[in-house]
Amino acid sequence: MAMRGLTVFIADIRNCRVRELEEKRINKEMANIRTKFKEGSLSGYDKKKYVCKLLYMYILGWDIDFGHMEAVNLISSPKYSEKQIGYLGITLLMHENSDLVRLVVNSIRKDLDDNNEIHNCLALHAIANIGGREMAESLASDVHRLLVSPNSKSFVKKKAALTMLRLFRKHPDVIPAPDWAERITNIIDDYDLGVCLSVTSLITALAQQYPEAFMMVIPKAIMRLHKIIVERDFSADYVYYKIPIPWLQVKLLRLLQYFPPTEDTNMSEMLHNVLQTIINNSQETPRNVQHNNAQNAILFEAINLAIHLDCESEIVRQATNILARFILSKETNVRYLGLETMAHLAAVTDELDEIKKHEETIILSLRDKDISVRRRGLDLLYSMCDVSNAKTIVSELIRYLHIADYALREEMVLKIAIMTEKYATEHSWYVDVILQLISSAGDHVGEEVWYRVVQIVTNHENLQEYSAKMVLHYMRSPHCHENMLKVGGYILGEYGHLIANLPGASPIEQFNTLHARFGLCSLATRALLLSTYIKFINLFPEIKGAILAVFNQYRHVLDAELQQRACEYMAIATMPTDDLLQTVCEEMPQFPERESALLSRLNEKSGQTEDKRTWNIGGKDSNDKTPANLLAAKERGENASVDDLVAGVGGVTINGDGEAGEPNGAAQAPAPAPAPAKTGLSWKDQLAPGSEKWYNHLRDGADGVLYEDSILQIGIKSEYHGHLGRLAIYFGNKTHTQLNSFAVTVDAPEGLVIASSHTLATSIGPSTQIQQLYSLECQQIVTDVPMIRISYHAGSTQSVVLRLPVLLSRFIEPIQLASADFFGRWKQIGGPPREVQEVIKAPGKIDLEKARAALVSHRLGICENVDPKPGNFVATGVLNTSMSGKVGCLLRLEPNRDTNMYRLTVRTTSDVVSKHLKEILQTALLFNPQSR
Amino acid sequence: MPINYVLLVSRQGKTRLAKWFTTMGPKEKSKIVKDVTQLVLSRRTKMCNFLEYKDTKVIYRRYASLFFITGVDPQDNELITLEIIHRYVEILDRYFGNVCELDLIFNFHRAYFILDELLIAGEMQESSKVKPLQVIHEQDAAEVEEANEEKNK
């Protein structure tokens, strides 16, 4: 129903021909509304009308700082139209951290629970539009309920799925995605294509974060695509200009790009069929714009997927031909997308020949009328560059640089610098190009470009003379950019002497060339040049006089930095001997090899739950870290460590169970333990009640049961060698039904690395046991034990949090020392803080055997006949860490039978270890298994 | 592949609708509106419908006196986003009956409600033309009923 007052107001505003009049009208209205609101007792209709007026002013760009409360009130109105405006009001006017969020959370929950679905929908919209943390925490489970409940209508489900997506993007930690994975994934089979579309969007986001938990979506996505594209089975409602639901097709094709190619031959055949059909369908160009766009949208996504699956396949070859046609198209959109997709192909394939055939067309695209197309052309040239065509491409780009858009130049310079460095076959070419770049596009050359030149010249001896010659040449040209002066100053200061015998490059001529521009440059450059001059004094004593004059002059300059340099350099240069000068000005050592700062600048990282890139612009090596590749590497890691077990290779062999071998580095590195699902509560607060008793039994290194309840039994087995260890955890399902959505996450303290060697099953069959292997590495001294969280679905979702008995003492290797050695070291370590002593009351009668067992179980070697008094224990061991080295551990344990006390003295080379080891042993000595 | 924002801008550069799917401060928003509006208005007709703005991609299409503009992530599928815009325009057109800029000015709240039925969290929730219209008509019916009740009191 139209609101007359609102219409009149909008018409009024539209009649204001000048801004002043508009402002006057707005101010009048604001004052009016303020009074009305203050008076209170407005009818729902009036409130709605005034809020609407405020919103209109807001859209026009005026600041609205009141009316929020009225919008909040409208939300709880029983009338739909008022509620609707209230919700619109808060979504436009309120931001997520506003205090008002608290006020609306309850109204929203009430609407979520309402039996009237259109109220549910309003509430879902509000959550999706505001999406603050408070809302996420208090309402996420309600949204989930609406999504998975069989009673929810389709149009509610769609909204719930996307609302959850929004909450996940903002606050990934609030959504226990792995626990919900299975039920969410199942909805993708929904008959309603709209529901399928929304859920696919949700899964695409979740799967990037938890790829393993969502693996099961792969066959579902492929089958859905097959059904729509090959079997042509879909509801007519969803046909868009003759194309069945193009949005879903694109989504599904994109989703599959976040996973490694499926290994199921049946599935991959189906998928191949899908892709081939899409390619075949696109042989004709439809007349209708919408039809054509939708068809191409799918085609480009299909090509991207095909490239992801296997960039040398027959389908990709066919696609390359289509792309070649596209980059010549008259339609700008198609040219743009053709170049973009070709850049994707060039970025991942080894086979650049097909693309190189079109080099000329691509270079021409740099001269396209549309900057968007020119950018894509640049990206493609950058991606397709290799040793064979680098020179052509680089010289084309430099030529184009002069006429390129301002906005493009900096990026171009960066890319040219990277390509030149990467594909240079002759050093002189590298120097030529970079210097040319600096001299012709100096303003767009970032600092990192010239830093890199200095690094490279310093590290390549055969470049130094040539570079010195060239910088001198460039600095003499009339338009010498300041950046050139910086490089030149640095290089001549280091390597000027290499060319001092050449005509025109004598010391004084070098100095004059630099100094001619000295007065014109910035303070930073002048400071740099002063350093060059002091180096000159060292290299060329004959020009010392001229340089001292400059220092002298600059001792009185206002700038503190310049003045300080001048004074210090002056002092060094006028010392009676040259010793200090020579030491200070010694030739720079080579730079350690590091990743080029240029590349890191180019690949700036994207945020956490934004969609990850499925590929990056640039050569093949820029594409090893895409999500699907990481996942694939993880899977390869799994195979590698299986091989290890069979072959029994590897540096360190650990005895026991016939499992051997340290997982090799390659397998371990890309397989980090699954990220623990961080929740607001710390895990320590959630320890399973009663789990202490099992843990205490295992503290001393035994294998056995870690936890047991009516559903689950968990046992562990472990072995250690040096700083490495292996831990097998067994999970037994004691019930007669399957446990679903089974997931295990490990939270290791810093310094302890725990990697699982294979993907864990996501379910446990009835009365079945499964095993999970972990490799452990102690990198640093760790005083906490790792925690493990097991979650599963049995009627409802259950979770158990436990401590793993991986104590620091596990990484000790026992050693035996003779008496003299022992006391020698004992003295060496000395008293506190590296010594810790404690008198301990024994729990029962003193039992020497038990005490001995306690020491041995913590991997200490008992040294016999060291302590003169029989019955006293002396024990030693070495704690191993991979990054903080070894720590020697010595201790004495003196039992006193009369008082039933132990005196424990621990000395180690680290005070942290002394303290911690004492605590471990103290607990071990106090532990009484009978008290169970 | 979310849409980050939808803007409706007149040829004179006046904002007719602005819908944000990501959280941003008011300053950031008005900067984007200003910059993107300027970029889009300066494009010529033969140029493509895509352009880059900072680290995002802008996809737009002009319908009579109005520019429909969306901001997306750089790797999003451009054409399919373009067709989301078109679907929105089609639904507006069907609802208002040959929609024009004035309809959207006087019924700006309806333009928002219809957009809510098409996009949530920047993702397409419903691609059929019929279903969003059904929901909107249901809403209108609820409103009419309430108004009638009011009268009969």
Side-chain angles (χ1 to χ4, degrees):
Chain A
M1 283 283 100
M3 286 167 274
R4 227 184 87 74
L6 175 67
T7 314
V8 171
F9 172 63
I10 294 176
D12 271 7
I13 297 273
R14 282 182 51 76
N15 286 334
C16 299
R17 288 290 161 217
V18 267
R19 183 141 176 102
E20 285 81 65
L21 286 176
E22 183 180 313
E23 189 168 356
K24 220 169 133 195
R25 182 69 184 85
I26 295 271
N27 284 339
K28 186 180 147 207
E29 193 62 41
M30 285 222 208
N32 174 33
I33 297 176
R34 249 185 245 268
T35 349
K36 295 280 185 196
F37 282 168
K38 243 183 227 139
E39 282 166 9
S41 69
L42 284 175
S43 72
Y45 174 83
D46 283 336
K47 250 188 235 168
K48 181 175 86 169
K49 182 179 73 189
Y50 291 130
V51 169
C52 265
K53 285 184 180 179
L54 287 178
L55 291 180
Y56 185 72
M57 294 186 246
Y58 170 81
I59 294 170
L60 286 180
W62 299 90
D63 269 341
I64 303 298
D65 51 6
F66 67 105
H68 300 72
M69 273 318 288
E70 282 70 20
V72 171
N73 288 340
L74 281 175
I75 294 178
S76 38
S77 156
K79 281 195 191 141
Y80 180 77
S81 60
E82 288 166 17
K83 212 185 240 313
Q84 199 181 19
I85 295 291
Y87 273 121
L88 181 63
I90 57 163
T91 54
L92 287 181
L93 297 178
M94 201 160 77
H95 66 89
E96 62 165 46
N97 296 323
S98 163
D99 291 338
L100 289 171
V101 170
R102 219 154 297 155
L103 291 175
V104 297
V105 164
N106 277 329
S107 313
I108 294 182
R109 178 174 290 128
K110 229 169 112 201
D111 282 334
L112 279 180
D113 290 340
D114 203 299
N115 285 330
N116 187 345
E117 281 102 1
I118 57 174
H119 288 191
N120 298 159
C121 290
L122 281 182
L124 287 170
H125 288 164
I127 301 171
N129 281 324
I130 301 170
R133 168 161 287 278
E134 196 156 340
M135 239 178 223
E137 277 167 2
S138 35
L139 299 173
S141 55
D142 293 295
V143 175
H144 177 244
R145 179 174 50 79
L146 284 179
L147 172 61
V148 299
S149 156
N151 300 329
S152 293
K153 292 225 171 103
S154 291
F155 72 100
V156 177
K157 272 190 191 174
K158 284 183 274 201
K159 289 175 200 286
L162 293 179
T163 302
M164 193 185 294
L165 168 60
R166 161 79 171 162
L167 293 181
F168 175 74
R169 283 208 187 109
K170 285 290 293 177
H171 309 288
D173 51 315
V174 176
I175 309 286
D179 300 349
W180 293 351
E182 193 164 356
R183 296 190 74 173
I184 293 179
T185 314
N186 285 337
I187 308 177
I188 217 172
D189 296 332
D190 199 292
Y191 177 75
D192 187 309
L193 284 174
V195 173
C196 179
L197 174 65
S198 300
V199 170
T200 307
S201 299
L202 173 62
I203 293 175
T204 305
L206 299 177
Q208 290 172 53
Q209 193 93 331
Y210 306 100
E212 279 123 349
F214 286 90
M215 281 293 213
M216 60 235 182
V217 80
I218 302 174
K220 287 182 191 291
I222 296 177
M223 285 193 279
R224 194 87 201 204
L225 280 169
H226 196 264
K227 208 165 161 192
I228 298 174
I229 296 169
V230 182
E231 298 163 33
R232 300 193 65 75
D233 174 4
F234 43 80
S235 129
D237 273 1
Y238 285 95
V239 177
Y240 181 82
Y241 293 90
K242 297 189 184 155
I243 306 276
I245 195 160
W247 289 277
L248 179 59
Q249 294 193 36
V250 166
K251 282 265 169 219
L252 291 171
L253 291 167
R254 171 62 64 101
L255 174 61
L256 291 172
Q257 291 173 55
Y258 290 108
F259 290 101
T262 169
E263 276 158 21
D264 184 328
T265 43
N266 200 1
M267 280 297 141
S268 66
E269 219 164 89
M270 244 176 162
L271 185 55
H272 179 268
N273 228 336
V274 166
L275 295 175
Q276 190 65 58
T277 312
I278 295 175
I279 299 245
N280 295 346
N281 286 347
S282 66
Q283 295 305 331
E284 269 171 59
T285 315
R287 284 282 172 104
N288 178 293
V289 187
Q290 272 67 45
H291 185 182
N292 193 18
N293 279 349
Q295 180 177 304
N296 283 341
I298 296 166
L299 174 66
F300 282 115
E301 210 55 65
I303 296 178
N304 283 333
L305 176 58
I307 294 171
H308 167 74
L309 295 176
D310 175 8
C311 54
E312 262 117 61
S313 61
E314 167 62 19
I315 290 206
V316 172
R317 209 192 47 74
Q318 295 174 21
T320 318
N321 291 336
I322 298 181
L323 294 179
R325 205 174 72 215
F326 279 178
I327 60 174
L328 286 167
S329 165
K330 276 202 192 105
E331 231 189 292
T332 323
N333 282 350
V334 173
R335 273 204 309 280
Y336 173 99
L337 293 168
L339 289 168
E340 181 179 62
T341 313
M342 218 181 236
H344 177 194
L345 179 59
V348 294
T349 185
D350 291 323
E351 199 45 67
L352 287 168
D353 289 347
E354 276 300 313
I355 299 175
K356 282 188 197 158
K357 280 186 201 156
H358 313 290
E359 200 171 290
E360 232 168 285
T361 319
I362 299 163
I363 286 176
L364 268 180
S365 72
L366 288 178
R367 288 170 173 66
D368 200 286
K369 275 196 227 98
D370 187 344
I371 181 175
S372 301
V373 176
R374 294 196 289 272
R375 275 182 203 271
R376 293 288 81 83
L378 177 62
D379 283 347
L380 173 52
L381 284 174
Y382 178 66
S383 292
M384 66 187 276
C385 189
D386 65 9
V387 178
S388 74
N389 57 11
K391 282 194 179 171
T392 335
I393 291 182
V394 165
S395 70
E396 270 302 325
L397 290 182
I398 290 185
R399 200 136 55 91
Y400 171 61
L401 194 54
H402 300 278
I403 49 162
D405 311 66
Y406 236 63
L408 260 175
R409 287 194 194 172
E410 188 174 344
E411 192 184 335
M412 283 189 71
V413 168
L414 210 57
K415 286 185 170 163
I416 295 175
I418 293 171
M419 282 189 272
T420 316
E421 180 183 333
K422 221 156 130 191
Y423 302 114
T425 44
E426 303 133 46
H427 288 305
S428 58
W429 179 66
Y430 171 77
V431 174
D432 287 342
V433 170
I434 297 288
L435 293 184
Q436 201 182 340
L437 209 55
I438 296 174
S439 83
S440 61
D443 285 340
H444 307 280
V445 175
E447 297 272 281
E448 50 285 74
V449 173
W450 80 262
Y451 292 166
R452 188 71 185 157
V453 180
V454 166
Q455 271 179 27
I456 289 185
V457 172
T458 310
N459 289 5
H460 293 89
E461 217 172 300
N462 48 2
L463 266 181
Q464 294 163 354
E465 184 185 336
Y466 183 73
S467 325
K469 212 161 57 189
M470 291 311 290
V471 290
L472 193 62
H473 166 75
Y474 272 110
M475 283 191 295
R476 288 203 175 131
S477 70
H479 310 288
C480 164
H481 194 270
E482 190 167 329
N483 276 336
M484 180 63 80
L485 215 56
K486 289 182 188 165
V487 191
Y490 190 93
I491 291 184
L492 287 185
E494 290 293 317
Y495 310 110
H497 60 285
L498 298 175
I499 56 167
N501 295 328
L502 300 179
S506 70
I508 191 70
E509 283 167 309
Q510 288 188 25
F511 172 71
N512 285 339
T513 309
L514 288 173
H515 204 59
R517 308 207 179 253
F518 190 88
L520 300 171
C521 41
S522 68
L523 295 175
T525 310
R526 278 192 240 179
L528 186 150
L529 288 178
L530 286 180
S531 302
T532 304
Y533 295 169
I534 185 78
K535 292 180 193 168
F536 274 176
I537 294 189
N538 181 42
L539 295 176
F540 314 124
E542 62 267 38
I543 59 168
K544 189 170 172 181
I547 292 173
L548 284 182
V550 177
F551 286 159
N552 204 17
Q553 183 193 351
Y554 271 81
R555 278 187 351 185
H556 307 291
V557 81
L558 272 179
D559 182 72
E561 173 71 30
L562 290 182
Q563 192 183 42
Q564 188 180 357
R565 286 196 191 211
C567 289
E568 287 173 2
Y569 293 161
M570 184 84 182
I572 294 175
T574 51
M575 278 182 163
T577 68
D578 279 348
D579 292 353
L580 185 60
L581 178 67
Q582 276 166 16
T583 323
V584 170
C585 299
E586 215 162 284
E587 193 170 306
M588 287 295 282
Q590 295 211 341
F591 290 90
E593 266 315 312
R594 58 183 99 164
E595 197 205 346
S596 163
L598 304 182
L599 278 177
S600 37
R601 166 119 180 246
L602 206 59
N603 303 334
E604 268 157 14
K605 285 195 174 154
S606 53
Q608 211 192 358
T609 42
E610 265 172 39
D611 275 340
K612 300 204 167 84
R613 290 174 168 257
T614 47
W615 62 281
N616 295 316
I617 291 160
K620 202 161 187 282
D621 41 354
S622 345
N623 281 292
D624 292 341
K625 287 201 177 145
T626 58
N629 279 346
L630 282 180
L631 195 63
K634 207 162 168 174
E635 292 202 324
R636 282 199 296 280
E638 175 192 338
N639 297 339
S641 57
V642 169
D643 289 345
D644 260 359
L645 290 182
V646 178
V649 290
V652 186
T653 311
I654 303 167
N655 300 324
D657 289 351
E659 301 159 352
E662 151 192 45
N664 63 38
Q668 220 170 2
K678 291 250 158 49
T679 48
L681 280 172
S682 114
W683 285 21
K684 271 199 180 115
D685 305 333
Q686 308 172 32
L687 272 183
S691 62
E692 244 0 51
K693 59 180 184 204
W694 291 296
Y695 174 79
N696 287 339
H697 266 270
L698 303 181
R699 268 179 64 98
D700 297 336
D703 295 335
V705 175
L706 180 66
Y707 177 78
E708 186 164 5
D709 60 18
S710 58
I711 299 174
L712 207 58
Q713 186 190 47
I714 301 170
I716 60 162
K717 226 173 189 182
S718 58
E719 59 206 29
Y720 296 89
H721 188 97
H723 63 275
L724 296 173
R726 275 178 97 84
L727 180 67
I729 309 185
Y730 300 86
F731 303 95
N733 176 1
K734 290 165 69 178
T735 65
H736 298 291
T737 51
Q738 172 153 319
L739 298 183
N740 288 321
S741 306
F742 184 76
V744 178
T745 45
V746 176
D747 180 21
E750 208 183 316
L752 183 67
V753 175
I754 303 187
S756 59
S757 48
H758 59 98
T759 346
L760 188 67
T762 49
S763 60
I764 311 179
S767 313
T768 318
Q769 191 185 59
I770 59 166
Q771 181 199 148
Q772 171 79 336
L773 281 179
Y774 293 93
S775 61
L776 311 170
E777 182 188 348
C778 179
Q779 295 183 326
Q780 284 158 27
I781 294 161
V782 186
T783 51
D784 275 334
V785 295
M787 315 270 279
I788 180 172
R789 169 195 280 274
I790 301 108
S791 60
Y792 56 91
H793 193 87
S796 61
T797 300
Q798 313 271 341
S799 73
V800 179
V801 176
L802 300 169
R803 289 196 290 175
L804 288 176
V806 181
L807 288 84
L808 184 64
S809 60
R810 297 288 187 274
F811 302 99
I812 293 179
E813 288 289 309
I815 49 168
Q816 307 279 340
L817 289 179
S819 178
D821 279 348
F822 178 82
F823 285 107
R825 294 186 195 187
W826 185 259
K827 282 206 188 87
Q828 224 173 18
I829 294 174
R834 298 203 286 187
E835 180 200 88
V836 177
Q837 194 172 66
E838 182 89 25
V839 175
I840 303 162
K841 177 102 178 71
K845 267 215 160 304
I846 281 208
D847 179 345
L848 289 184
E849 274 319 299
K850 229 190 84 190
R852 171 185 288 270
L855 296 180
V856 172
S857 70
H858 287 282
R859 304 179 62 89
L860 293 156
I862 310 274
C863 308
E864 307 291 351
N865 307 325
V866 172
D867 201 297
K869 189 175 167 210
N872 283 2
F873 292 103
V874 164
T876 51
V878 175
L879 171 68
N880 298 283
T881 67
S882 61
M883 279 155 77
S884 312
K886 297 183 182 225
V887 176
C889 309
L890 307 177
L891 69 87
R892 300 176 75 178
L893 180 68
E894 296 153 283
N896 183 335
R897 284 171 187 276
D898 304 334
T899 56
N900 249 353
M901 307 263 229
Y902 292 108
R903 188 168 73 173
L904 173 67
T905 316
V906 180
R907 289 188 177 186
T908 76
T909 48
S910 149
D911 47 341
V912 181
V913 176
S914 301
K915 207 164 143 262
H916 189 59
L917 186 59
K918 184 222 74 179
E919 273 160 20
I920 292 177
L921 292 173
Q922 186 179 351
T923 318
L925 288 167
L926 286 174
F927 177 61
N928 188 354
Q930 271 76 47
S931 72
R932 187 169 181 174
Chain B
M1 301 195 279
I3 292 177
N4 296 320
Y5 52 83
V6 175
L7 302 176
L8 264 62
V9 177
S10 76
R11 214 172 40 183
Q12 288 77 30
K14 286 230 184 229
T15 315
R16 295 301 178 204
L17 176 145
K19 174 92 184 171
W20 303 86
F21 297 105
T22 45
T23 317
M24 266 183 266
K27 270 202 187 135
E28 221 178 324
K29 284 182 185 171
S30 60
K31 172 140 178 48
I32 292 180
V33 171
K34 205 175 123 221
D35 291 356
V36 170
T37 302
Q38 204 182 6
L39 277 174
V40 169
L41 290 181
S42 67
R43 305 266 302 170
R44 270 175 279 152
T45 40
K46 272 285 189 168
M47 291 182 167
C48 65
N49 299 89
F50 327 123
L51 58 100
E52 261 154 66
Y53 171 66
K54 296 194 174 156
D55 287 338
T56 65
K57 216 148 34 182
V58 173
I59 294 171
Y60 70 95
R61 192 185 259 170
R62 183 178 160 174
Y63 292 88
S65 62
L66 270 187
F67 285 92
F68 285 68
I69 306 170
T70 60
V72 298
D73 287 349
Q75 293 223 332
D76 277 10
N77 190 311
E78 295 87 350
L79 290 174
I80 209 74
T81 313
L82 202 55
E83 294 316 298
I84 293 181
I85 296 179
H86 190 73
R87 178 105 288 187
Y88 181 42
V89 175
E90 280 182 345
I91 294 174
L92 290 174
D93 203 50
R94 177 77 68 92
Y95 181 79
F96 288 106
N98 210 353
V99 68
C100 68
E101 194 181 337
L102 276 184
D103 290 323
L104 300 183
I105 293 173
F106 283 100
N107 295 288
F108 66 93
H109 46 295
R110 299 243 185 274
Y112 277 100
F113 297 149
I114 295 176
L115 191 55
D116 270 339
E117 293 307 319
L118 192 70
L119 294 175
I120 294 183
E123 306 274 0
M124 189 91 165
Q125 59 156 319
E126 180 52 70
S127 78
S128 97
K129 186 147 84 177
V130 197
K131 291 197 179 169
L133 281 169
Q134 272 171 2
V135 180
I136 297 283
H137 285 311
E138 260 170 55
Q139 292 174 2
D140 288 352
E143 215 172 304
V144 171
E145 202 174 304
E146 281 167 7
N148 288 340
E149 270 169 31
E150 192 89 339
K151 262 186 217 154
N152 297 338
K153 257 183 212 168

